[in-house]
């Protein structure tokens, strides 16, 4: 893998295979740009796969890392996959997850700031109390018809204030009346 590489600065990659291995991009603190796409075989993102990736980049708010897993069949995101040390934070990542995700382990998205995660699944994945631990400025986008299911699911209740409804491109046909915001906060973003 690329772990511990201090010279790696730009990653624009399509990943093939069934698993992103432990630490494959871990400790690549100086990465300045990251764009990840996957093929349809990917099933697992292993522990520490992107641990500390890009943590030291300057001005992360102007260079948001994008990881698009929508074309995969990921069912598990293992512990600390996109996290860092307890004394640090990871900044400005955007994730697109497929509908097949069923389990997200501890601190997978923890210790982060300005993480945006788009869930495609109509059923909330199983998460632990620590999955999003020590996060700030978190935004969780879920299918707008399923926002209440997410906000009331086990271990999602503590994330309720960060959950928003969303619709993917081409969800609605031209000319269709769009849903409006209601008391539950359903909206299109």
């Amino acid at each position: 893998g690329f772990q511990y590489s201090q010279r790696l600065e730009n990653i624009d990659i399509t990943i093939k295979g069934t698993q992103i291995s432990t630490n494959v991009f871990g400790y690549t603190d100086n990465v300045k740009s990251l764009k990840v796409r996957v093929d349809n075989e990917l099933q697992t993102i292993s522990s520490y796969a992107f641990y500390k990736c890009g943590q030291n980049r300057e001005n992360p708010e102007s260079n948001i890392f994008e990881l698009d897993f929508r074309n995969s069949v990921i069912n598990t995101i293992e512990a600390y996959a996109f996290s860092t040390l307890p004394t640090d934070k990871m900044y400005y990542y955007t994730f697109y997850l497929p509908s097949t995700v069923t389990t997200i382990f501890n601190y997978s998205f923890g210790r982060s700031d300005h993480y945006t995660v788009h869930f495609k699944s109509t059923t909330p994945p199983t998460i632990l109390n620590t999955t999003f631990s020590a996060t700030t400025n978190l935004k969780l986008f879920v299918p707008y018809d399923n926002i209440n299911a997410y906000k009331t699911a086990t271990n999602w209740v503590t994330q309720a204030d960060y959950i928003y409804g969303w619709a993917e491109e081409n969800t609605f046909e031209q000319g269709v009346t769009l849903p409006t915001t209601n008391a539950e906060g359903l909206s299109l973003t």
Side-chain angles (χ1 to χ4, degrees), residues 5-189:
S5 174
Q6 296 303 308
R7 293 177 176 234
L8 191 61
E9 290 187 359
N10 301 297
I11 301 172
D12 187 343
I13 190 168
T14 299
I15 297 174
K16 296 185 181 279
T18 59
Q19 180 178 15
I20 298 177
S21 299
T22 299
N23 263 334
V24 71
F25 297 104
Y27 298 95
T28 53
D29 309 37
N30 295 323
V31 168
K32 294 178 182 172
S33 66
L34 174 67
K35 184 165 184 137
V36 174
R37 293 163 306 285
V38 297
D39 69 11
N40 59 3
E41 296 176 12
L42 183 65
Q43 298 171 14
T44 303
I45 300 173
S46 297
S47 296
Y48 302 94
F50 292 87
Y51 192 77
K52 294 184 70 174
C53 181
Q55 183 174 321
N56 294 337
R57 72 191 191 276
E58 293 180 21
N59 304 315
E61 66 279 358
S62 62
N63 193 10
I64 299 169
F65 286 3
E66 183 177 300
L67 295 94
D68 190 344
F69 300 115
R70 285 179 285 193
N71 291 332
S72 71
V73 289
I74 294 171
N75 51 39
T76 303
I77 300 174
E78 295 182 356
Y80 302 93
F82 308 102
S83 189
T84 189
L85 299 169
T87 56
D88 294 328
K89 288 266 191 184
M90 296 288 289
Y91 298 96
Y92 291 93
Y93 271 69
T94 296
F95 303 89
Y96 296 92
L97 301 179
S99 60
T100 53
V101 174
T102 58
T103 308
I104 305 174
F105 286 99
N106 53 314
Y107 292 99
S108 296
F109 297 101
R111 304 173 183 149
S112 63
D113 183 64
H114 285 92
Y115 270 23
T116 302
V117 186
H118 294 82
F119 291 90
K120 198 171 179 180
S121 178
T122 57
T123 304
T126 299
I127 61 172
L128 303 176
N129 282 330
T130 58
T131 297
F132 299 104
S133 185
T135 59
T136 49
N137 301 302
L138 177 65
K139 290 185 179 176
L140 305 172
F141 291 96
V142 303
Y144 73 92
D145 280 339
N146 305 97
I147 193 168
N148 288 334
Y150 274 83
K151 286 186 174 193
T152 59
T154 303
N155 292 338
W156 284 89
V157 174
T158 57
Q159 311 308 324
D161 289 344
Y162 310 115
I163 296 174
Y164 304 90
W166 80 296
E168 273 195 296
E169 313 81 45
N170 303 318
T171 299
F172 300 102
E173 294 179 22
Q174 187 173 1
V176 171
T177 302
L178 297 177
T180 57
T181 303
N182 65 15
E184 283 78 38
L186 299 181
S187 64
L188 296 176
T189 54

